[in-house]
Amino acid sequence: MSKPISTGSEWTFDLIQQYDNEIAKLAKEFGLDTYPNQIEVISAEQMMDAYSSVGMPVGYNHWSFGKQFLNTSKQYQRGQMGLAYEIVINSDPCIAYLMEENTMMMQALVIAHASYGHNSFFKGNYLFRTWTDASAIIDYLVFARKYVSECEERHGVDAVEEILDSCHAIMNYGVDRYKRPAPISAAEERRRQKEREEYLQSQLNDIWRTIPTFGKGDEPESRRQRYPVDPQENLLYFIEKNAPLLEPWERELVRIVRKLAQYFYPQRQTQVMNEGWASFWHYTLINALYDKGLVTEGFIMEFLQSHTAVIYQPSFDSPWYSGINPYTLGFAIYSDLRRICEAPTDEDRHWFPDIAGGDWVEVLHFAMKNFKDESFILQFLSPKVIRDLKLFAIADDDQEPTYNVSAIHDEAGYRLIREKLARQYNLSYREPNIQVWNVDIRGDRSLTLRHIPIDRVPLGDDSDEVLRHVHRLWGFDVHLESRDDESLLATYHCPPRRESEDLEELEDRIGNA
């Protein structure tokens, strides 16, 4: 047995280095492939600052980050919440922030969790490899911060924040889901910026050069063709390229928010997998340190207490319940995959014939690299995990007066629960399907969006507020129509319309149907 690296709870930079060296050796033995690590120790206030800026401490300034900072700071000082123990940036080198108030055990846990768990996930998962460029993100954030700052000086803080507010409101609709963005460096971004402004303006002049006319009855069919011809899902991209009144600097702000939305897109699809992977590896690596005698009994007891708190899942009727804890679910599935490989049962061989009894390290790396939350749960959520977590399904039918428990954790319910849980992590079901449908380029320049409801779920109460932000960016009237199988279910307008105008429009549509 080796001698423990440390025996007290106080950390030093030398001890952090020693723990990092030992964890790195173990990570290599388990086949974790990571970007180089950059570990930084910051104060609680700096951690709150980074936490408030969505984990991007080198990003641009915005009032909402300051508001979040004050809120977090007050809650932390009153003891109403703890802080995130770590923040990690998907970059090359991978930057992990440790809080200086942490004990030595916690610093080691965070190093194992962030610098080797999250880091290997960023480098290995296909979504991150496809949609993000770890080598360019820090440069781009610095570029964005400088550009926003220059705009504030030239055009005023209020004008800049108005545009950013509106972009943030529809940030989740600024993503290309099927087309990989070309990775370019911040230097290239700066070089292209001027060219982009000139090119965009010339294109816009071409699109909008026609003098608006309001009587369309005499126009030939070719001139009444819908624009865009095909519906567009990337709302921010469409606004950046086509909004009639945006200034070049405002278009660049839209582009910056769109690029960040694209950067966060893989993270929104892999929360269970990413946190589960990092939790599994901090648990495995720290226990391996203990097995080698490199940490003390007191260290491992403190670690187990912290680990248990991280993966704690309140029951559904607990006042603390706020949904399924992604750390719990992800950790449970990865741990169960290891069990299925090392000690498979007849049930495991029936459900997972390809992996039962296999090499657990290979199986876990395969699962980490090739899936997103939805497909990961659909592929690997086992009956044992369903039983352990006591999962059950509720059918919420808007045409029935009561809820119905449609499946429980038994033989008859496993498949239905797995399918329903996987579906909850499908972004297409979690976010309304809204697309750019038409622009009246020869009339009043109004923008029409179309919402296609899924399972008859209507739009939320904040639809009018979101539409107000789209209107601010577009500059002309914006309409949103909710349609199901070609029947018009609801319409929203900004500026708001009188009820009589809505009725007239509805009658026209019914008459033309």
Side-chain angles (χ1 to χ4, degrees):
M1 292 289 280
S2 305
K3 184 181 172 186
I5 299 171
S6 65
T7 54
S9 62
E10 295 296 319
W11 64 268
T12 65
F13 287 106
D14 183 51
L15 283 176
I16 286 178
Q17 184 66 59
Q18 290 183 50
Y19 275 99
D20 182 42
N21 291 342
E22 294 299 332
I23 293 171
K25 288 179 195 169
L26 290 167
K28 193 173 180 182
E29 289 177 15
F30 287 117
L32 294 179
D33 182 22
T34 62
Y35 295 118
N37 276 305
Q38 179 177 325
I39 297 172
E40 299 192 9
V41 182
I42 59 178
S43 67
E45 190 169 76
Q46 288 171 313
M47 184 63 85
M48 280 187 278
D49 193 20
Y51 183 73
S52 305
S53 9
V54 288
M56 289 296 176
V58 293
Y60 57 78
N61 296 319
H62 186 255
W63 67 268
S64 63
F65 303 150
K67 178 184 173 186
Q68 179 66 27
F69 173 81
L70 286 175
N71 190 36
T72 305
S73 175
K74 281 182 181 175
Q75 287 187 314
Y76 177 64
Q77 288 167 4
R78 290 171 183 164
Q80 295 171 341
M81 66 171 283
L83 279 181
Y85 296 123
E86 45 83 23
I87 284 179
V88 58
I89 297 180
N90 169 25
S91 59
D92 182 9
C94 181
I95 304 173
Y97 294 94
L98 277 56
M99 203 160 64
E100 65 182 4
E101 284 82 352
N102 288 347
T103 63
M104 187 62 248
M105 184 286 300
M106 191 57 75
Q107 306 294 34
L109 187 157
V110 170
I111 289 171
H113 183 93
S115 300
Y116 295 92
H118 284 309
N119 188 348
S120 58
F121 193 89
F122 293 149
K123 192 172 182 184
N125 181 264
Y126 82 99
L127 281 172
F128 285 86
R129 291 202 313 272
T130 305
W131 296 97
T132 65
D133 183 3
S135 63
I137 184 62
I138 295 297
D139 280 352
Y140 188 79
L141 287 173
V142 172
F143 158 77
R145 182 177 192 142
K146 185 168 181 288
Y147 189 86
V148 171
S149 176
E150 288 173 355
C151 288
E152 288 174 342
E153 288 178 13
R154 276 191 221 153
H155 308 287
V157 173
D158 291 344
V160 171
E161 293 204 328
E162 276 189 356
I163 296 294
L164 290 178
D165 282 351
S166 296
C167 292
H168 289 174
I170 54 174
M171 195 169 176
N172 289 350
Y173 294 92
V175 173
D176 287 319
R177 301 186 190 199
Y178 308 107
K179 183 178 68 177
R180 178 182 178 178
I184 54 175
S185 67
E188 182 69 4
E189 195 76 14
R190 279 191 292 273
R191 190 185 70 75
R192 292 188 187 180
Q193 188 182 321
K194 186 66 178 173
E195 296 175 8
R196 194 162 53 234
E197 287 178 2
E198 292 171 354
Y199 176 76
L200 264 178
Q201 288 307 111
S202 68
Q203 293 295 299
L204 281 170
N205 291 341
D206 191 49
I207 294 172
W208 300 110
R209 66 186 170 188
T210 308
I211 297 172
T213 57
F214 295 93
K216 295 185 290 185
D218 299 331
E219 291 180 354
E221 186 63 30
S222 61
R223 297 186 65 185
R224 281 186 275 137
Q225 190 176 34
R226 218 181 68 220
Y227 182 82
V229 176
D230 298 315
Q232 303 288 311
E233 65 167 0
N234 193 330
L235 189 48
L236 276 181
Y237 181 82
F238 188 83
I239 287 172
E240 176 195 332
K241 302 299 181 190
N242 296 284
L245 302 179
L246 285 183
E247 296 292 332
W249 66 271
E250 292 173 319
R251 273 179 225 287
E252 196 64 36
L253 293 182
V254 175
R255 179 180 172 81
I256 285 171
V257 175
R258 181 171 66 80
K259 298 283 270 186
L260 291 181
Q262 196 76 58
Y263 172 79
F264 284 116
Y265 182 54
Q267 301 199 22
R268 292 198 290 131
Q269 295 185 90
T270 56
Q271 194 183 15
V272 169
M273 287 184 69
N274 198 350
E275 296 300 353
W277 179 258
S279 300
F280 174 85
W281 282 110
H282 79 226
Y283 181 80
T284 303
L285 293 171
I286 297 296
N287 272 287
L289 283 181
Y290 177 68
D291 292 341
K292 285 178 173 287
L294 293 171
V295 299
T296 64
E297 298 280 345
F299 183 103
I300 202 69
M301 290 301 291
E302 186 188 353
F303 163 76
L304 289 173
Q305 187 179 27
S306 296
H307 170 74
T308 305
V310 167
I311 63 163
Y312 173 64
Q313 173 64 62
S315 60
F316 77 97
D317 53 354
S318 162
W320 311 111
Y321 180 79
S322 60
I324 294 178
N325 181 350
Y327 293 79
T328 309
L329 184 58
F331 178 78
I333 294 177
Y334 283 117
S335 300
D336 197 51
L337 282 178
R338 179 173 181 174
R339 180 198 61 78
I340 291 170
C341 293
E342 291 185 327
T345 63
D346 289 343
E347 182 183 62
D348 298 325
R349 290 193 178 89
H350 174 69
W351 280 73
F352 304 101
D354 296 337
I355 62 174
D359 183 322
W360 73 269
V361 175
E362 282 184 17
V363 169
L364 259 68
H365 277 83
F366 174 78
M368 176 273 286
K369 288 179 179 175
N370 298 294
F371 296 86
K372 55 184 176 181
D373 282 348
E374 178 198 2
S375 52
F376 176 70
I377 292 169
L378 202 53
Q379 186 75 23
F380 297 116
L381 180 64
S382 70
K384 182 176 186 305
V385 173
I386 294 174
R387 285 194 298 271
D388 289 347
L389 297 181
K390 297 182 174 57
L391 299 176
F392 59 93
I394 285 185
D396 179 11
D397 189 333
D398 64 331
Q399 296 181 339
E400 297 292 335
T402 57
Y403 294 118
N404 177 38
V405 177
S406 56
I408 61 171
H409 40 83
D410 61 5
E411 188 67 31
Y414 293 145
R415 294 188 189 281
L416 184 62
I417 288 173
R418 190 161 75 169
E419 288 169 8
K420 282 185 172 293
L421 186 60
R423 187 170 170 171
Q424 284 187 18
Y425 292 92
N426 183 340
L427 287 186
S428 300
Y429 289 98
R430 291 162 64 182
E431 296 170 353
N433 178 9
I434 296 176
Q435 299 182 343
V436 176
W437 180 254
N438 188 29
V439 176
D440 191 352
I441 57 175
R442 301 184 188 281
D444 62 1
R445 302 185 176 182
S446 62
L447 172 69
T448 300
L449 308 176
R450 181 166 285 190
H451 165 238
I452 312 294
I454 297 176
D455 292 343
R456 300 191 301 273
V457 176
L459 288 169
D461 296 337
D462 55 356
S463 301
D464 288 324
E465 180 64 14
V466 173
L467 215 57
R468 188 176 67 79
H469 286 292
V470 179
H471 176 262
R472 177 186 283 165
L473 295 172
W474 185 250
F476 292 92
D477 289 6
V478 178
H479 313 298
L480 170 60
E481 51 185 40
S482 185
R483 281 187 166 272
D484 186 7
D485 296 332
E486 295 304 315
S487 60
L488 187 63
L489 304 175
T491 58
Y492 305 81
H493 307 279
C494 188
R497 282 184 171 182
R498 297 192 307 275
E499 194 172 333
S500 58
E501 289 178 306
D502 264 351
L503 281 175
E504 286 171 15
E505 182 181 279
L506 189 57
E507 286 169 358
D508 285 345
R509 290 175 188 274
I510 293 172
N512 293 330

